[in-house]
Amino acid sequence: NNQNTDFSEKQNQYFQKTAIICVLTIISFFICISFLDYFVLPKTKIYDVLSNYVRRTARGNKYSSTSTHIAYNYYTQKGFTFTTEEKSIFEDNLEIEYTSIFKYVTKVRSNKTDYSGELINDLNGLLFYLYCVFLFSIIISLKILLSGKSYSKLAFNNIICFNSFMLFLCVWIAYIY
């Protein structure tokens, strides 16, 4: 009876390990495709018109009535969205350059000004650094899981928790910006 329990527990650990390896591999594949799309594949240029923008603000604390400017979110007639941190765009006609697969906006120019350096959405801002940390974490996690050496249940739980936290941060930042 004790041998059946040990076998069942080892089998359960094997399936958990295999599932985590598959999930981490799929996520790393998605991140690599995202980097490939942003840095290697050709970009498409179009001319578009701003249809709306939203100024994002945050309150300092619950007792303060003042708000702090965070960013400007812009929406175009052709369905593109992009975000700038400080610079407000007043021109309507813009040249937008975007990626092939995920349609990340990489450059925004008007007749007078290039706003590309001000972009903070997609891989132009914080999401790029989060993806790099997440990819590094996945590489270390896969090395531990595939090494064949034994590791503790706590180490396995830490791999799951940290990578889940990084996934949550990446999805949340992608949604916000």
Side-chain angles (χ1 to χ4, degrees):
N1 191 11
N2 195 16
Q3 286 180 336
N4 288 341
T5 306
D6 288 344
F7 177 74
S8 175
E9 187 175 317
K10 285 183 181 183
Q11 190 176 19
N12 190 22
Q13 288 175 351
Y14 174 77
F15 287 129
Q16 287 176 350
K17 177 181 168 182
T18 306
I20 294 300
I21 289 171
C22 288
V23 168
L24 291 178
T25 304
I26 291 168
I27 291 171
S28 63
F29 178 74
F30 172 75
I31 292 173
C32 290
I33 293 295
S34 181
F35 282 159
L36 182 72
D37 181 40
Y38 191 82
F39 292 110
V40 177
L41 295 178
K43 317 268 185 307
T44 304
K45 289 182 185 179
I46 61 161
Y47 290 94
D48 205 347
V49 177
L50 288 179
S51 62
N52 191 18
Y53 79 94
V54 176
R55 184 174 186 254
R56 290 190 168 265
T57 58
R59 273 195 357 210
N61 61 38
K62 63 182 178 181
Y63 303 110
S64 174
S65 62
T66 61
S67 61
T68 305
H69 169 75
I70 296 175
Y72 293 100
N73 288 10
Y74 295 94
Y75 305 93
T76 68
Q77 287 181 350
K78 294 183 180 175
F80 291 96
T81 61
F82 58 92
T83 306
T84 61
E85 188 171 18
E86 293 182 11
K87 226 177 210 180
S88 179
I89 300 175
F90 295 110
E91 292 101 339
D92 282 339
N93 297 324
L94 299 173
E95 177 185 311
I96 295 176
E97 188 172 292
Y98 63 93
T99 63
S100 304
I101 299 172
F102 294 110
K103 308 295 187 225
Y104 294 145
V105 175
T106 59
K107 293 183 181 176
V108 175
R109 293 185 200 101
S110 70
N111 291 336
K112 300 175 187 176
T113 311
D114 184 5
Y115 298 100
S116 303
E118 300 290 327
L119 295 175
I120 60 171
N121 58 308
D122 302 326
L123 292 179
N124 294 312
L126 181 61
L127 192 60
F128 170 76
Y129 299 105
L130 286 174
Y131 275 2
C132 288
V133 170
F134 195 15
L135 200 56
F136 185 69
S137 168
I138 288 172
I139 290 168
I140 291 172
S141 299
L142 288 175
K143 184 179 183 305
I144 291 169
L145 293 173
L146 296 172
S147 69
K149 296 180 182 176
S150 64
Y151 49 86
S152 67
K153 182 77 172 160
L154 180 62
F156 184 72
N157 289 338
N158 286 341
I159 288 172
I160 293 171
C161 289
F162 184 75
N163 287 307
S164 298
F165 177 68
M166 287 304 299
L167 179 63
F168 168 76
L169 280 180
C170 290
V171 170
W172 183 52
I173 293 299
Y175 174 73
I176 288 178
Y177 291 109

